[in-house]
Every structure is written in C-alpha cells, then in structure tokens.
Amino acid sequence: MELNKTVKNALLDEINRGVISHAYIVEGMAGTGKRTFASLIAKAILCTGENRPCGVCPSCRKCDADTHPDLHRYGSDGNSFKVEAVRDIKRAVTLTPNDGDRSVYILEKADTMTVSAQNALLKVFEEPPKGTTFLLLAEKRESLLATVRSRGRTVRLGTVDDGELYSMLKERFPKATEEELSEAVRIAEGSFGKGESVLKKEGKTERGAALKLCDAVYGRGDRYDLYSAFLGQIRKRDALIPVLDALGQCARDVLISKLDAGKPTLLTEEAAARHAEGATAITLYNIFDAVLECGRSLRRNTDPLTAVSELCTRINRAKG
Ligand SMILES: [Zn+2]
C-alpha cells in the first residue's frame, strides 16, 4: 500500500507550486506517523530552498533540530487539548513570523480539544493571518466540529507496508543497523509509532524476558521449571504486564507458525517453528489463550503470584 507516499508526494508537489492551505487536518489511527508527516509538511512550507523541503537551507536545519522560531507545536504533552493552549495560539498568531513570511502551527491530538477550545480556534480559522498554516493531527476527524473540519483540508494516513515503513524508520533513525530496522519493521506490523518505540529500545527488556520465557513455556521442563522461570518476573511487578503482552505476541507467533497462517512478528520464523514443533495446534491455542487470560487477570489487579500460578497450571494442562 503506497497510500501515504502518494499523499505525501501530492502535498509536497502542491507546496512546491506555492499552493498552501491555511489548515490541514491530518487524520490517521495511532502509529500511522501523523507527527512525522506533519513535521515534514511544516518543514516544506518553511523551507527557503529549492525542491522543498531541501534539507540543507537554514530553515530546514532549524526544523530538524526543532529550533525553528516559526514552527510552533501544541498538545504534544498531556492527554487532552486545553482551551488555554488555544488562547496561547491566538496570541501567537498575531505576531509576525521571526525568520520568513510563514509560520506553522502543529496541533497534536486536536481531536481531544473541547468544544469551547474548538470554538475559540474557529475564530483564527475564519480569518487566518497571512502566511499562517495549521496542521491539526487527529485520530478521528469526526471528533472535530463540522465548522472546524470544513475550514481545513483533510489528509488521510493509513498503515504503511513493510517497505515504506523500513524507509520511514531508516530516515528517522539513520544510525540504526539493517538488523535493527528489519526487527523493528517485523514487530511494528505497519505501525510507524510502534516501530519507533522498538528502535528507541522501549520495551526491549520486556521483549527479551518474553523470549526467554518461551523456552520454558514450550520446552520440555516440568511444572517446577516453568514456575521458576516466571518467578524472576514476578519480582518486577510493574514490568509483568508488558512481559505478558510480549509473551502473548510470541504465543500468537508460535500458533500462526503451526497453522501456516502468516508471518511471526516478535519471534523469528525459525524460533516460532521450533517452539511449534511436536505440539498440536489446540495445545498451542490453549497456551496462547492462557497467556492472554493471565494478562487480563493482572489488569484486573489479581495478585501476580496467583495469576502466574494459574498460568503455569493452564500451560501444563495444555501440554498434557
Ligand atoms: Zn530547505
């Protein structure tokens, strides 16, 4: 699916022809790269070189370093977009740009804006100061007032294919190795946000722990071996849920390897096949189900020792 590349190229082409809207609504589910996309568009709008964004002019360099005085970001912290932020924006737009004749406002999580915040913003949208562009990032544009929606151009982002995700991540993490990039693409399943967090090493420890646990879960050890493998994790209570989530992803990988139903995401194909060997699909399904149930149980605040003990019992029963 070349969706985002097509959207991106069309938009950049317009900007290079001087066609710049004063408001864009960048819509896409979590992890579709809205923020990266908006940053690129902002950079192109502010670029003073040829073939925008040229990447080498002073403006592009400031955008890359996130120090451009005319690129304003709001809503990236906290959970909802407050009316105070809109007041700040209204104040800021009355000022003339510092560097050139354009200024760009990126409003993240714009769909979390309250109705009064949106109404306050509408005023600016109705009479935008010359050279001002707003980029509103939203998971669902329907959460925005119809009056706000009608004043901006909607750009839809979808999940991306592996090849595109690879190039997006390579651009974002130029120092990452081929191996790291491929691993991130595999785990991310088309989500830029997820790929980004893999390369930032977020959850690496938890994924590592889950991979180790797989040996105990699918190995030939007895109930005691299994339980002692989990014991080390129970001590790190806060990390237990992410470990179980990663283990759930592994268990799904093993199951789909058995059923030949797709590519594994967290495990390598070899590891998934090795764990699936000698077990029936129903056994693997029961293990997968037990891991998911353990995660749910922990989220309901079940005592970790009880939840894990139940998990081990279920895994052993599944293995027969
Ligand atoms: Zn430039």
Side-chain angles (χ1 to χ4, degrees):
M1 188 167 47
E2 295 281 295
L3 181 67
N4 295 350
K5 205 183 275 172
T6 312
V7 169
K8 181 179 81 182
N9 291 343
L11 208 53
L12 289 180
D13 190 49
E14 279 184 19
I15 292 169
N16 274 294
R17 283 187 283 117
V19 183
I20 299 172
S21 175
H22 70 265
Y24 296 92
I25 296 162
V26 182
E27 184 194 30
M29 295 310 292
T32 43
K34 294 188 289 296
R35 201 202 287 202
T36 312
F37 186 86
S39 299
L40 179 77
I41 298 305
K43 189 164 139 185
I45 292 174
L46 295 166
C47 175
T48 54
E50 303 259 309
N51 203 358
R52 296 146 72 183
C54 71
V56 289
C57 73
S59 173
C60 281
R61 284 208 294 266
K62 284 183 205 167
C63 284
D64 286 338
D66 211 5
T67 55
H68 201 297
D70 302 319
L71 174 56
H72 310 270
R73 293 176 188 274
Y74 290 89
S76 48
D77 49 353
N79 291 323
S80 76
F81 206 101
K82 303 258 162 45
V83 71
E84 289 77 20
V86 177
R87 280 195 205 110
D88 273 0
I89 293 167
K90 288 177 77 177
R91 252 195 310 274
V93 292
T94 59
L95 308 169
T96 44
N98 293 283
D99 274 13
D101 52 4
R102 301 209 65 98
S103 54
V104 178
Y105 292 77
I106 297 179
L107 278 55
E108 289 184 28
K109 294 185 180 164
D111 46 355
T112 63
M113 266 192 288
T114 59
V115 170
S116 57
Q118 292 190 48
N119 275 320
L121 191 67
L122 199 55
K123 281 266 177 228
V124 192
F125 274 16
E126 278 165 346
E127 295 158 49
K130 203 174 167 297
T132 305
T133 296
F134 289 96
L135 294 163
L136 275 65
L137 277 43
E139 284 192 21
K140 292 194 200 83
R141 71 190 288 276
E142 287 73 29
S143 315
L144 295 166
L145 293 178
T147 40
V148 171
R149 290 204 301 262
S150 68
R151 280 175 176 79
R153 222 184 103 190
T154 298
V155 180
R156 266 207 115 267
L157 301 186
T159 51
V160 295
D161 70 16
D162 286 359
E164 195 179 344
L165 183 58
Y166 184 92
S167 3
M168 283 164 78
L169 289 171
K170 200 177 164 69
E171 203 173 312
R172 170 80 176 72
F173 298 92
K175 285 182 189 152
T177 64
E178 293 291 302
E179 201 184 355
E180 287 169 331
L181 288 166
S182 309
E183 184 195 29
V185 167
R186 202 180 67 225
I187 298 174
E189 298 179 275
S191 158
F192 179 78
K194 205 164 169 190
E196 200 179 27
S197 92
V198 171
L199 285 167
K200 281 183 183 160
K201 314 281 181 209
E202 285 164 10
K204 196 178 167 64
T205 324
E206 287 81 4
R207 285 196 298 278
L211 294 188
K212 264 200 200 134
L213 283 172
C214 278
D215 292 330
V217 170
Y218 296 101
R220 298 190 181 278
D222 58 15
R223 187 175 191 281
Y224 177 76
D225 294 329
L226 185 60
Y227 197 65
S228 33
F230 275 101
L231 265 182
Q233 295 305 318
I234 295 174
R235 280 183 219 113
K236 300 168 220 146
R237 195 193 157 119
D238 286 347
L240 194 54
I241 290 180
V243 169
L244 258 299
D245 287 346
L247 186 61
Q249 206 176 340
C250 293
R252 193 191 62 170
D253 284 350
V254 176
L255 183 60
I256 61 175
S257 164
K258 185 83 197 173
L259 300 173
D260 207 9
K263 274 179 168 273
T265 56
L266 199 52
L267 292 173
T268 60
E269 287 189 49
E270 301 75 59
R274 178 163 46 85
H275 291 315
E277 214 178 87
T280 64
I282 192 75
T283 297
L284 299 177
Y285 173 77
N286 285 335
I287 292 176
F288 171 55
D289 189 51
V291 173
L292 292 191
E293 177 49 38
C294 183
R296 283 195 289 267
S297 170
L298 287 166
R299 285 193 165 85
R300 288 192 303 264
N301 275 330
T302 306
D303 164 59
L305 215 57
T306 311
V308 166
S309 169
E310 171 68 18
L311 173 63
C312 294
T313 306
R314 284 193 61 186
I315 291 173
N316 268 292
R317 206 186 296 145
K319 286 160 85 176

